[in-house]
Amino acid sequence: MTTAYDWTGRIGDVWAEEWRRTDRSFTNLTPHLNAAILAATSPETSMIIDIGCGAGATSLATAQALPGATVTGIDLSPTLIEIARHRAETQSNARFECADIAVAAPNHAPTHLYVSRHGVMFFADPTAAFAILAEAAAPDASLVFSCFAERAANVWATETVAATGGDPDAPASTAPGPFAFADPTYVAEILATAGWNAAPPQRLNFAYRAGEGADPVADAVDYFRRIGPAASAIRDAAPEERERHIARLTDICARHSDGDTVEFPAVAWIWTARKSAN
């Protein structure tokens, strides 16, 4: 269901190496997502699955907030799962599994709550994937996930793309990727077809934190060289062109620095849905 991105190989390994900075980039989004997750629970919520759990941040936060529930984080990347398991050594109600959620979900039925922080936009066939989740869900199950809104509103993406010679105004696409779920009408149709009754999503403006520390600009540039839409352009460029990309990226990050952090305007959707009645 997620074959468009090689999470089992190089991409997953890079994200595993960068898990601290990728978690940090969502510093200003995470509290809102966690609040939505807690709002979707009930006293009967005992089986929770975190889709595309990465290094386990959402799984662990949910497990800590709901000690009576079992939270299972599922991801395709074995290296990310290894990190998540290490982080969960003292969290007895959090566990992690390296698998495709579409294959694994039936093994955890009935699931009371599915959660995901920016993990569901990579489904190769999102309607089929969400339908499988619904089939494996308890009758009153809920689904809570975040995803990026339109790329034009996510300055961290448009400006870093422009810095490396890409087109910041490229046409919107629903192909698997960071902005596949940018259109809420498209997402609502997918969920409805797959057996989920979604509430209107929350549109959240937040500051995407790309850098911090003693030299936040250098930290942000190093991060964008590894993660995000500029990374492949920098990696694949000839040496002289690569230096030009990095120089422009440095200037852009400097403009978004307050001296302590580098933060870019970003916009996300937070979706909450319930399993449709049969």
Side-chain angles (χ1 to χ4, degrees):
M1 286 293 174
T2 50
T3 54
Y5 272 66
D6 182 21
W7 295 110
T8 61
R10 184 187 62 81
I11 291 176
D13 291 345
V14 171
W15 278 66
E17 293 166 3
E18 293 291 340
W19 72 266
R20 292 177 178 83
R21 289 198 283 198
T22 54
D23 277 0
R24 182 190 66 191
S25 69
F26 292 115
T27 293
N28 299 303
L29 167 71
T30 296
H32 300 275
L33 175 61
N34 290 346
I37 290 170
L38 292 182
T41 64
S42 72
E44 289 72 41
T45 301
S46 61
M47 180 63 72
I48 302 170
I49 289 181
D50 180 6
I51 304 164
C53 66
T58 302
S59 301
L60 292 171
T62 304
Q64 290 162 9
L66 300 168
T70 297
V71 181
T72 302
I74 297 178
D75 199 281
L76 284 169
S77 168
T79 48
L80 282 166
I81 288 296
E82 182 179 353
I83 291 168
R85 286 173 175 162
H86 178 73
R87 296 176 73 189
E89 285 180 349
T90 60
Q91 191 67 46
S92 61
N93 64 324
R95 59 192 63 175
F96 295 93
E97 179 179 341
C98 184
D100 185 329
I101 183 61
V103 176
N107 299 328
H108 296 275
T111 297
H112 300 106
L113 174 63
Y114 295 103
V115 303
S116 183
R117 188 190 70 185
H118 279 55
V120 295
M121 309 97 72
F122 300 97
F123 288 143
D125 186 339
T127 303
F130 282 118
I132 290 170
L133 299 181
E135 182 66 24
D140 58 349
S142 295
L143 166 69
V144 179
F145 65 86
S146 62
C147 58
F148 283 120
E150 66 275 10
R151 187 170 67 163
N154 282 278
V155 176
W156 65 271
T158 57
E159 292 195 358
T160 58
V161 164
T164 55
D167 180 7
D169 300 316
S173 172
T174 58
F179 300 102
F181 280 12
D183 180 357
T185 300
Y186 169 73
V187 176
E189 291 174 353
I190 287 173
L191 293 174
T193 301
W196 296 94
N197 182 21
Q202 174 189 359
R203 185 177 173 88
L204 180 69
N205 294 279
F206 71 101
Y208 182 93
R209 184 168 297 175
E212 62 184 17
D215 190 341
V217 172
D219 186 38
V221 171
D222 189 56
Y223 175 62
F224 284 133
R225 290 183 66 175
R226 301 276 290 162
I227 299 289
S232 59
I234 293 173
R235 184 186 66 247
D236 298 338
E240 290 185 4
E241 185 182 20
R242 183 181 302 120
E243 292 304 315
R244 289 193 293 270
H245 289 342
I246 293 171
R248 287 193 292 267
L249 188 58
T250 300
D251 289 342
I252 289 168
C253 290
R255 291 201 298 270
H256 289 278
S257 175
D258 62 4
D260 296 316
T261 63
V262 173
E263 294 186 337
F264 287 77
V267 183
W269 297 111
I270 296 180
W271 285 86
T272 299
R274 295 188 69 84
K275 182 176 177 179
S276 301
N278 292 330

